[in-house]
Amino acid sequence: SMAPPENRWNSGPAKGAASTWWAISAGSARPARNATGTSAPPLRASAMPAKVVVPRELAEGETRVAATPRTVKRMDRAGLEVHVEAGAGQASGITDSEFTEAGATVIDDRAALFAGSEIILCVKPPGPETITQMPSGAFLIAVLDPLIEHEVATQLADRGVSAFSLDMVPRIARAQSMDVLSSMSTLT
């Protein structure tokens, strides 16, 4: 059978997951398998590094930033291309040079920041001015509160942006490392 293109996004489905993706070739569709022999959808066709974007938070009074130099360093080591908006960490006491030293590219122009972005990290739900700059097909990871922020969820869907709301991660032992609600409750 035809194997899908190799890249870091195509390592196969989770254990026990049953999925099939279809390779479209010369007008015919047929199931395809990855290198491990299991079916998995290709999430990314390019071998280029994914562009991760950390914009400056625009919500009034918000002092947090969605990434730190430590997390930027981890993403850089994982082969991701990290772009941080100039001044994104200023309210948190993080300078642009700290992000640069960690491996990020600091960008002044917000439109250039979002151009070609694939993964967007935010703390709070983005406003309409930010959503309109997100490219269709991008992934947004943030605390979105989608059960209350219906308008934001609708705008993201209309824009073609897939959203992962960190406040919707189940509060169970297996997901504890991603439990933002518990970690935020410890801050004063």
Side-chain angles (χ1 to χ4, degrees), residues 98-117:
E98 289 177 273
F99 281 119
T100 303
E101 289 168 17
T105 301
V106 175
I107 299 179
D108 289 324
D109 180 13
R110 199 164 172 88
L113 176 76
F114 282 105
S117 62

Side-chain angles (χ1 to χ4, degrees), residues 74-99:
R74 290 176 71 186
M75 289 186 275
D76 185 54
R77 277 195 305 246
L80 300 171
E81 183 181 305
V82 183
H83 295 257
V84 177
E85 184 176 8
Q90 186 175 2
S92 296
I94 303 169
T95 65
D96 291 344
S97 62
E98 289 177 273
F99 281 119

